[in-house]
Amino acid sequence: MSEGHSTYTPKSGLGRWVDARMPLPRLVYDSFIAYPVPRNLNYAWTFGGILSIMLVAQILTGVVLAMHYVSDTVLAFNSVEKIVRDVNQGWLLRYLHANGASFFFVAVYIHIFRGLYYGSYKAPRELLWILGCIIYLLMMATGFMGYVLPWGQMSFWGATVITGFFSAIPLVGDWIQQLLLGGFAVDNPTLNRFFALHYLLPFMIAGVVVLHVWALHVTGQNNPTGIEVKSKTDTVAFTPYATVKDALGMVVFLLVYAYFVFYIPNYLGHPDNYIVADPLKTPAHIVPEWYFLPFYAILRAITFNIGPINSKLGGVLAMFGAIAVLFVVPWLDTSKVRSAVYRPWYKLFFWLFAADCILLGWLGSQPAEGVFVAMAQICTLFYFAFFLIVMPVLGLIETPRRLPNSITEAVLEKNKGSGSGHLAGATAAPETKG
Amino acid sequence: MSATETHDPNRRDFLYIATGMAGVVGAAAAAWPFIDQMRPDASTLALASIEVDVSALEPGMSLTAKWRGKPVFIRNRTPEEIKSAQDVKLEDLKDPLARNANLPSDAKATDIDRSAGQGKENWLVMIGVCTHLGCIPLGQQGEYGGWFCPCHGSVYDTSGRIRHGPAPENMAIPAFEFISDTKIRIG
């Protein structure tokens, strides 16, 4: 749908001159103005744009913070305090950056769950999905290393625990761990390399985002019906329709973000990180940032040996497996129907899975003892069962609801439904109402 | 490899493969400094050995020394602690090995092989790092009166042996020796 002929016609002499030499304006016009998008996209589809904005915001605030930050174990903690107290507008920049990381993850989780709900990973969008998974992995690495930089207690012990994962690898584990740390424990070499990598990785993310958007523009967007675009009436132009809808989504999202930055800037952080790192004293209760909590719960759920695999390696494998399984989702789901709208059983299991992830997140924030361990084990079991059992089996046994013949038919069907459908129709099918 | 049809491996094929291999070796050689620079540097390795004065430690007292950026617990154990550690049967242990750098790697996790040895059974010198993910366990806590790791709930006995929880191994005993009755050299 997208790689058809370009409708760009340069109006000025200069425009034609540039177009014949390096057609960047043509690329922008074809990608963000004339680009056809399905007419029925809902607000769940605005998170791609929101994520781009958040990446830019993180890079901008991060670059200026780096001008004031010192990556030395003696000075790092105080340099962050200095940013907040002494540097002009430093408090704002720091809180924008710290909360920006959280909101980046809020957006990416909504984006991923939207993909799972509407089957956006299915053919021909497998590579698009995998590129997204790579971005998510890079985001996790960046977020983790960024949290180490203020050199508080949670920074230090979070880094100790997470680099400790690698010591679980048989034979070469200790060697790899020392390679990551640059020593035998988290120390100055670790802080310095984490700072360098924390500065580098966002630009790698930006690179993979380009590939992600490229892949998106080859296959076209999925949509709430999961039916491919069949004719011109199924689409509207990116500008103004998607642009304006994305802009409204961004404004609402940024409002919530701003509320956190200005009113509760430390709500998502942890008070222990305002204590300078002490290598000889572990805080009573180590927790990672909220966006890692579900994986942390999975890590801690494996308290038993599985055959030759000891509990430590088992926990690390389960945790990395929980992320790795996302990469093969396109091949685990056997259903030919994309959207959960037409899959009653998948819809049920999807929401159970979403609830399971939230519950795992909560369990990750609780101490690893008593009933919490058993609950985390059950939730971990369901997490993997959703991907490895429910997805392949449902596709074979589930009877989907009847699919409309086209996006246009689905939209018109919805419009004549109820009174409130009139309003929904006005946004969903602007061409017919205009 | 080549678009032209040839029957036997000839001199040109050999040259292609030899050139390709030289390129691979060259790329690996060029990559190595970038990996090697990440390993512990000379100044970090130079801190390999420390001496600790333990003359002030009465039975039931411990101190924590810092060695290679990690805490080393040195404890003068009480007779009850030694007794309770000696009474444990080897088959009740999650990790049956001593993990003592001063002994062969297959030494069993008996209390004598975990301690400073015959005549110095009261001394326990070990790296105070939980073998799960590297937190520092809290002393004289947990159901065995040994150590308890607050991070993920590993419980160690008075000999520093893992009894239950996610940690896979007993806490490590570093290479050390008594250079006098009151001085220990670690490393």
Side-chain angles (χ1 to χ4, degrees):
Chain A
M1 60 182 274
S2 64
E3 296 299 273
H5 65 285
S6 172
T7 55
Y8 177 68
T9 37
K11 289 180 189 68
S12 64
L14 178 66
R16 280 187 292 276
W17 188 88
V18 170
D19 193 51
R21 284 158 179 81
M22 210 274 294
L24 182 63
R26 177 181 294 274
L27 181 71
V28 171
Y29 180 86
D30 291 343
S31 308
F32 301 107
I33 295 169
Y35 183 70
V37 298
R39 63 192 282 181
N40 58 339
L41 295 187
N42 59 33
Y43 276 102
W45 262 267
T46 62
F47 282 88
I50 289 170
L51 284 162
S52 329
I53 288 284
M54 290 313 294
L55 178 62
V56 171
Q58 287 302 87
I59 290 179
L60 280 180
T61 51
V63 166
V64 292
L65 284 170
M67 296 177 185
H68 304 280
Y69 173 77
V70 188
S71 62
D72 181 289
T73 50
V74 180
L75 305 168
F77 185 86
N78 288 334
S79 78
V80 172
E81 286 307 301
K82 184 177 143 67
I83 287 171
V84 176
R85 291 153 199 266
D86 295 349
V87 174
N88 298 326
Q89 316 293 330
W91 62 273
L92 176 61
L93 293 165
R94 185 193 173 209
Y95 285 145
L96 279 172
H97 196 71
N99 287 283
S102 277
F103 277 81
F104 204 159
F105 275 96
V106 169
V108 89
Y109 283 134
I110 297 174
H111 195 65
I112 292 170
F113 275 96
R114 188 269 286 154
L116 284 174
Y117 186 81
Y118 293 110
S120 301
Y121 45 83
K122 289 186 197 182
R125 296 187 182 82
E126 301 96 324
L127 280 181
L128 176 61
W129 173 263
I130 288 171
L131 287 165
C133 292
I134 292 171
I135 295 171
Y136 177 50
L137 267 183
L138 288 171
M139 278 177 65
M140 295 193 3
T142 312
F144 156 63
M145 290 194 273
Y147 196 65
V148 176
L149 303 185
W151 205 243
Q153 275 288 67
M154 282 296 170
S155 301
F156 182 90
W157 291 101
T160 299
V161 168
I162 291 181
T163 53
F165 295 165
F166 294 91
S167 70
I169 304 168
L171 303 176
V172 291
D174 287 329
W175 191 85
I176 291 176
Q177 192 192 13
Q178 286 171 20
L179 192 77
L180 292 172
L181 295 175
F184 303 100
V186 176
D187 211 334
N188 208 42
T190 322
L191 180 61
N192 267 297
R193 66 191 54 187
F194 278 16
F195 181 50
L197 292 173
H198 183 71
Y199 207 123
L200 167 71
L201 287 189
F203 297 97
M204 293 177 68
I205 293 177
V208 186
V209 166
V210 170
L211 299 180
H212 191 65
V213 173
W214 184 10
L216 173 73
H217 282 211
V218 171
T219 61
Q221 280 158 299
N222 186 27
N223 65 82
T225 63
I227 307 166
E228 286 295 319
V229 167
K230 285 173 183 157
S231 66
K232 202 174 175 304
T233 60
D234 287 345
T235 64
V236 289
F238 192 93
T239 301
Y241 300 106
T243 331
V244 169
K245 192 160 187 156
D246 278 356
L248 179 58
M250 281 174 201
V251 166
V252 173
F253 187 83
L254 293 178
L255 268 176
V256 183
Y257 170 37
Y259 177 80
F260 273 74
V261 169
F262 289 106
Y263 292 96
I264 43 173
N266 288 304
Y267 183 77
L268 297 167
H270 200 285
D272 277 78
N273 224 27
Y274 282 103
I275 303 169
V276 68
D278 180 354
L280 295 182
K281 190 172 180 298
T282 304
H285 186 42
I286 297 186
V287 276
E289 304 95 298
W290 68 267
Y291 39 85
F292 293 139
L293 286 174
F295 299 108
Y296 195 58
I298 290 174
L299 167 82
R300 298 191 304 182
I302 311 298
T303 54
F304 43 85
N305 297 348
I306 309 160
I309 300 169
N310 68 38
S311 52
K312 175 177 170 181
L313 181 58
V316 172
L317 286 177
M319 192 194 66
F320 282 114
I323 302 162
V325 73
L326 293 173
F327 282 80
V328 289
V329 159
W331 295 276
L332 289 174
D333 189 340
T334 50
S335 174
K336 293 203 162 48
V337 178
R338 285 204 189 98
S339 172
V341 172
Y342 303 101
R343 299 183 60 193
W345 282 102
Y346 178 74
K347 190 192 253 181
L348 172 72
F349 277 104
F350 169 85
W351 288 114
L352 285 175
F353 175 71
D356 186 64
C357 289
I358 291 168
L359 189 56
L360 273 172
W362 177 74
L363 288 164
S365 73
Q366 299 302 312
E369 55 198 33
V371 68
F372 299 127
V373 176
M375 284 171 76
Q377 286 167 343
I378 294 166
C379 288
T380 301
L381 195 65
F382 182 79
Y383 182 98
F384 284 102
F386 175 77
F387 289 110
L388 302 177
I389 298 171
V390 173
M391 273 195 165
V393 172
L394 263 196
L396 302 174
I397 60 172
E398 181 183 45
T399 313
R401 290 169 50 201
R402 193 191 69 83
L403 287 169
N405 292 314
S406 70
I407 294 172
T408 308
E409 189 191 295
V411 170
L412 296 178
E413 186 85 7
K414 201 175 164 190
N415 284 354
K416 68 181 180 192
S418 64
S420 65
H422 185 75
L423 192 62
T427 49
E431 282 176 336
T432 58
K433 302 282 168 179
Chain B
M1 202 171 220
S2 134
T4 50
E5 289 284 325
T6 48
H7 297 289
D8 305 311
N10 54 27
R11 207 162 64 103
R12 186 129 310 233
D13 289 329
F14 173 78
L15 286 173
Y16 279 141
I17 293 166
T19 312
M21 290 314 289
V24 168
V25 171
W32 178 244
F34 289 87
I35 297 166
D36 194 35
Q37 55 82 25
M38 291 185 67
R39 294 167 63 223
D41 66 15
S43 70
T44 307
L45 294 171
L47 300 170
S49 139
I50 56 166
E51 289 180 11
V52 187
D53 183 354
V54 295
S55 56
L57 290 186
E58 298 293 327
M61 292 171 70
S62 327
L63 66 76
T64 303
K66 198 175 168 190
W67 177 64
R68 287 183 164 181
K70 292 175 185 174
V72 174
F73 295 155
I74 302 172
R75 181 162 178 82
N76 191 347
R77 298 185 297 169
T78 62
E80 300 81 60
E81 287 175 346
I82 301 167
K83 175 92 171 56
S84 76
Q86 283 171 341
D87 287 348
V88 178
K89 290 199 207 70
L90 273 186
E91 54 267 29
D92 292 343
L93 296 173
K94 185 173 175 183
D95 177 16
L97 296 175
R99 309 286 173 192
N100 186 337
N102 307 288
L103 296 174
S105 59
D106 60 350
K108 293 280 177 274
T110 54
D111 187 62
I112 187 78
D113 278 355
R114 294 279 305 163
S115 72
Q118 211 71 47
K120 290 197 184 311
E121 295 94 339
N122 55 326
W123 291 103
L124 182 65
V125 180
M126 66 181 180
I127 298 173
V129 172
C130 179
T131 57
H132 182 224
L133 294 170
C135 296
I136 298 182
L138 306 169
Q140 288 66 60
Q141 290 193 25
E143 63 207 80
Y144 299 95
W147 283 265
F148 173 74
C149 182
C151 293
H152 308 100
S154 293
V155 182
Y156 297 87
D157 65 14
T158 54
S159 197
R161 295 174 297 199
I162 179 66
R163 299 305 291 273
H164 62 76
E169 293 178 6
N170 303 326
M171 275 193 268
I173 312 267
F176 72 93
E177 60 176 334
F178 275 87
I179 48 179
S180 74
D181 274 350
T182 57
K183 238 185 189 162
I184 300 178
R185 181 167 59 214
I186 302 168

